[in-house]
Amino acid sequence: MNGLMAIVLGFSLTALQVGPKAENLISLGIAVAVWGNAMFYLFSMFSHNRGLTLGENVLGASNWAGVVAFLPALLGAISLMCSLSAMLYFHLLGVQEA
């Protein structure tokens, strides 16, 4: 699903009329989201709590892998929301430059 998200957002970005600076900024945010999710998938396999929280949850206690899984996923989620907001902002308002 991570790859599908990147493909769909990449095609969506090419269909929008945004300037090159805005396109680079949005692409960077999407790349951070993809890599954040990839790190979450990798390190959550080694975590007792599956990396869903920084602390203990019903799945188990926290360990280093849980923290390393959670933080990139959090950063990726925030960067994805910012990228999608920027896509809408630049497209709907017709702004060509960041």
Side-chain angles (χ1 to χ4, degrees):
M1 296 305 288
N2 201 25
L4 287 175
M5 176 189 70
I7 291 168
V8 167
L9 290 175
F11 282 133
S12 299
L13 186 58
T14 59
L16 299 177
Q17 300 297 322
V18 297
K21 287 183 180 179
E23 191 172 293
N24 288 339
L25 182 68
I26 293 167
S27 298
L28 177 66
I30 294 170
V32 168
V34 168
W35 279 104
N37 286 335
M39 293 297 105
F40 170 74
Y41 299 145
L42 177 68
F43 287 105
S44 67
M45 291 187 290
F46 303 109
S47 173
H48 301 294
N49 66 357
R50 298 293 179 231
L52 299 175
T53 59
L54 287 175
E56 184 176 341
N57 61 25
V58 295
L59 297 174
S62 181
N63 61 356
W64 66 271
V67 173
V68 174
F70 181 79
L71 292 178
L74 179 64
L75 178 66
I78 292 169
S79 72
L80 184 62
M81 286 186 285
C82 291
S83 294
L84 290 175
S85 298
M87 286 173 74
L88 287 173
Y89 173 77
F90 289 124
H91 180 68
L92 294 177
L93 294 180
V95 177
Q96 294 295 320
E97 290 299 322

